[in-house]
Amino acid sequence: MKIGNIYETHGLGRQNSVGWRDKICLYLGESPIHRSDGVTVVNHKFLVGDKVKLCDRTFLPYLKEIQT
């Protein structure tokens, strides 16, 4: 994934697609969370409509890059 690329969602079921279904997303980059126990959780940040949303790596297969 590359910052600034545009993606669309595909293959999402109803239960896990609230706010993402039929949306175009702009990739903003990684957004790591550094926990106090030393673990780093890497999330990915997207602009979806007028909101910034986070997802983890398990969501990435549901995104398809739009060629511009």
Side-chain angles (χ1 to χ4, degrees), residues 14-26:
R14 292 192 93 127
Q15 70 277 8
N16 64 350
S17 62
V18 176
W20 291 87
R21 192 176 313 130
D22 301 324
K23 302 286 185 182
I24 302 297
C25 312
L26 176 67

Side-chain angles (χ1 to χ4, degrees), residues 10-55:
H10 65 94
L12 293 171
R14 292 192 93 127
Q15 70 277 8
N16 64 350
S17 62
V18 176
W20 291 87
R21 192 176 313 130
D22 301 324
K23 302 286 185 182
I24 302 297
C25 312
L26 176 67
Y27 184 60
L28 301 175
E30 291 183 351
S31 182
I33 297 172
H34 305 284
R35 298 187 336 199
S36 61
D37 63 358
V39 173
T40 298
V41 178
V42 178
N43 288 309
H44 297 271
K45 190 173 6 177
F46 290 87
L47 181 64
V48 183
D50 62 348
K51 296 182 180 178
V52 174
K53 295 189 176 272
L54 292 177
C55 67

